[in-house]
Amino acid sequence: DIQMTQSPSTLSASVGDRVTITCRASQSISSWLAWYQQKPGKAPKLLIHDASTLESGVPSRFSGSGSGTEFTLTISSLQPDDFATYFCQQHNSYPYTFGQGTKLEIK
Amino acid sequence: EVQLVESGGGLVQPGGSLRLSCVASGFTFSSHSMNWVRQAPGKGLEWISYVSHTGSPLYYADSVKGRFTISRDNAKNSLFLQMNSLRAEDTALYYCARDSGYCTDTGCYRWHDAWGQGTLVTVSS
């Protein structure tokens, strides 16, 4: 199985900050990576697929990049609604494994 | 509006069984592959099972293989998860998730673009 490792596990930031979350795969997954946002008590929400394709309706301050084994999710200017937990998931091969999550907290 | 509504969760003893359901609306259910993803309390997400839009093929995580069975009824816009031989570590919120994606000459690639709100399964004596 492909292992996905996110860093950091927790990130403290302020409104307006630029933040980056990293996701590493244990083997190459080309560009087959998705990012999800989850708020407490809610279902995950798709943000990005194919490493950099923004899902319809997702604000343009979110962006994704990377290929192979290293990927990043960047939020260009944090908004209050962005404080949540973020998960990456490889969609290269089954089982579709997730990273352990990055909790984005208010500093 | 796309909606996925799970049901069937509850408290069950170790070794017991449960059948989860997910009813879909707002889209052509028979055109999308579907998944079950679970989340243990306070933990991360774990993909556990996939079914294609036609009902085959099926894929499972090793953690549930041989114990859980995914199925669907396209006439009833419904997805199911039969869970047998339940263990304490199966305690989680179970989400159904719709796939979108595409196929290339190297394979088919899907992502979960719609999720239900989940149904809680608790395995405890």
Side-chain angles (χ1 to χ4, degrees), chain A residues 24-74:
Chain A
R24 289 185 173 87
S26 60
Q27 64 189 73
S28 178
I29 57 171
S30 186
S31 296
W32 308 119
L33 186 95
W35 289 98
Y36 300 88
Q37 176 194 65
Q38 187 178 34
K39 296 180 180 179
K42 300 294 186 182
K45 173 188 173 184
L46 176 68
L47 298 176
I48 286 169
H49 61 85
D50 295 358
S52 59
T53 302
L54 206 64
E55 177 72 349
S56 177
V58 174
S60 59
R61 62 181 180 272
F62 291 91
S63 64
S65 65
S67 65
T69 62
E70 188 152 338
F71 302 86
T72 58
L73 172 70
T74 299

Side-chain angles (χ1 to χ4, degrees), chain A residues 1 32 34 36 38 41-46 48-50 55 87 89 91-100, chain B residues 35 37 39 43-47 50 59-62 95 99 102 104 106 108-113 115-117:
Chain A
D1 297 357
W32 308 119
Y36 300 88
Q38 187 178 34
K42 300 294 186 182
K45 173 188 173 184
L46 176 68
I48 286 169
H49 61 85
D50 295 358
E55 177 72 349
F87 295 93
Q89 183 199 32
H91 56 98
N92 178 75
S93 60
Y94 290 98
Y96 277 6
T97 41
F98 288 91
Q100 79 279 16
Chain B
N35 304 264
V37 177
Q39 187 168 36
K43 303 297 184 182
L45 299 168
E46 180 187 15
W47 172 89
Y50 159 93
Y59 301 124
Y60 298 94
D62 285 346
Y95 294 103
D99 275 345
Y102 56 88
T104 72
T106 59
C108 293
Y109 305 96
R110 307 172 186 90
W111 49 88
H112 314 320
D113 70 337
W115 299 64
Q117 286 305 301

Side-chain angles (χ1 to χ4, degrees), chain B residues 12-56:
Chain B
V12 61
Q13 292 189 336
S17 299
L18 274 179
R19 189 188 195 215
L20 306 185
S21 299
C22 171
V23 176
S25 60
F27 66 100
T28 303
F29 180 71
S30 59
S31 296
H32 289 262
S33 54
M34 297 293 295
N35 304 264
W36 289 99
V37 177
R38 68 183 180 183
Q39 187 168 36
K43 303 297 184 182
L45 299 168
E46 180 187 15
W47 172 89
I48 58 171
S49 191
Y50 159 93
V51 59
S52 79
H53 65 291
T54 62
S56 178

